[in-house]
Amino acid sequence: MKNSFVPFSAFALVIGSLSTPAFAYLDGATGSMLIQAVIGGVAAAGMFGRHFISKAKNAVSTVFRKDGTRRDS
């Protein structure tokens, strides 16, 4: 198992040395779109997390409620 690392790393080294420069750049609009996508992803993850935590709290409080009724929010 540990000997399989050597051929893969040698292959990656050969492929990496054969690549040519891309001569690519990121202009202002592309950078702005990337920043906007990152901010949107963070906001979506926060809203998903808030929703998931709310559902988990509701499920736990329903299980541990003394009178057995369910509280819908």
Side-chain angles (χ1 to χ4, degrees), residues 3-72:
N3 292 336
S4 64
F5 177 72
V6 175
F8 289 125
S9 60
F11 178 72
L13 185 65
V14 169
I15 294 298
S17 66
L18 295 176
S19 64
T20 59
F23 300 113
Y25 69 97
L26 296 176
D27 61 348
T30 306
S32 176
M33 288 173 56
L34 289 174
I35 291 172
Q36 184 177 357
V38 168
I39 291 172
V42 168
M47 292 304 293
F48 176 75
R50 180 189 291 182
H51 179 73
F52 180 73
I53 288 173
S54 173
K55 291 289 186 181
K57 280 182 180 180
N58 194 13
V60 169
S61 68
T62 301
V63 169
F64 291 109
R65 188 172 292 273
K66 290 183 181 180
D67 60 357
T69 60
R70 182 175 177 164
R71 186 185 79 193
D72 291 328

